[in-house]
Amino acid sequence: MYFKNIMNAQSKIYYVVGASGAGKDTILNAYRLLAIKEKEKILVAHRYITRKVTSATKDESFIGLSTEEFTFRDDNHLFALSWEANNCYYGVGIEIETWLKNNISVVVNGSRSYLLEAQKKYPTNLITIMVDVPEEILRIRLINRQRESAEEIEARIDRHRQLNNAYKVDEHIINSTTVVDAVESFNSIIKKYHNKKV
């Protein structure tokens, strides 16, 4: 079922992209609390990922699944969006379609490599927000979280370069100062589009 047939005319899907380590999860976690405080009709969707929850991933809002569990859900059409990246499978549940139909906008932590598919599936009211960070800061963040080897980090940075040059986005945030600044920028972008027909 196509997005334009199920969503309310006022609801939006904010598809947030950026390299792992750019700070998307930190921004989205802070924005989730802000949206509740301001009583906005916006929900931040969690993701299903074939990765275990560890101390290194505690700041991410996701549900860890085995590959078998993920495949079962995918085969039974329980994901609105699903993709593969960095040796993991990622999915966003079909519950977001109910939210959108009921005039609740949705923030999704997406993937740049899946952006064209997301735009094709959801051809109206999808707004893409890129969270970016200078490459030298990105490398330091990836090293500090101690999740990947040096080779894996360089592969991520190389992928970041390629994807940044491959896709056009609607809005851009440079997350190189404070969390407060980044969340303020993100909130300003949301307010720019919220309750506005696009």
Side-chain angles (χ1 to χ4, degrees):
M1 183 180 292
Y2 284 100
F3 189 65
K4 63 184 178 182
N5 294 327
I6 61 155
M7 73 178 294
N8 186 290
Q10 291 298 310
S11 56
K12 312 285 190 301
I13 182 165
Y14 300 99
Y15 190 85
V16 184
V17 298
S20 180
K24 289 185 298 175
D25 292 295
T26 301
I27 292 171
L28 295 186
N29 286 339
Y31 179 75
R32 178 184 285 107
L33 299 176
L34 181 62
I36 292 170
K37 181 180 178 181
E38 295 188 351
K39 298 182 179 179
E40 295 283 8
K41 293 190 74 173
I42 301 173
L43 289 172
V44 179
H46 59 256
R47 298 190 293 180
Y48 300 86
I49 309 177
T50 55
R51 185 171 66 218
K52 292 181 179 179
V53 179
T54 66
S55 59
T57 62
K58 61 181 173 56
D59 293 331
E60 281 191 71
S61 178
F62 76 94
I63 294 174
L65 298 177
S66 67
T67 301
E68 292 76 17
E69 288 175 306
F70 189 97
T71 300
F72 176 83
R73 293 182 187 225
D74 205 19
D75 288 346
N76 285 278
H77 312 291
L78 299 181
F79 294 128
L81 303 164
S82 64
W83 63 91
E84 181 181 4
N86 302 309
N87 301 313
C88 289
Y89 292 102
Y90 298 76
V92 176
I94 57 171
E95 62 267 21
I96 70 167
E97 296 184 348
T98 300
W99 303 346
L100 293 161
K101 186 177 180 180
N102 286 281
N103 197 27
I104 298 172
S105 293
V106 180
V107 179
V108 171
N109 188 342
S111 167
R112 289 166 292 182
S113 61
Y114 190 73
L115 174 58
L116 296 181
E117 287 299 315
Q119 291 172 329
K120 189 185 301 181
K121 183 175 182 181
Y122 297 161
T124 61
N125 292 22
L126 186 144
I127 296 139
T128 309
I129 304 171
M130 166 76 80
V131 177
D132 204 357
V133 66
E135 198 171 289
E136 60 274 17
I137 296 177
L138 178 61
R139 182 177 284 104
I140 291 169
R141 288 180 182 175
L142 292 175
I143 291 170
N144 288 343
R145 74 181 186 180
Q146 299 180 332
R147 194 192 298 172
E148 298 101 352
S149 67
E151 292 78 11
E152 289 170 330
I153 288 172
E154 291 308 314
R156 277 189 177 273
I157 291 174
D158 185 57
R159 180 174 182 270
H160 168 63
R161 274 192 220 109
Q162 293 177 29
L163 291 175
N164 262 15
N165 294 326
Y167 300 103
K168 181 180 180 297
V169 299
D170 298 301
E171 301 288 345
H172 209 108
I173 296 171
I174 301 298
N175 182 24
S176 59
T177 54
T178 67
V179 174
V180 172
D181 288 343
V183 174
E184 284 182 358
S185 296
F186 188 83
N187 192 36
S188 295
I189 290 171
I190 298 293
K191 287 185 180 300
K192 173 181 173 181
Y193 292 97
H194 198 48
N195 294 324
K196 169 187 172 184
K197 291 182 180 180
V198 296

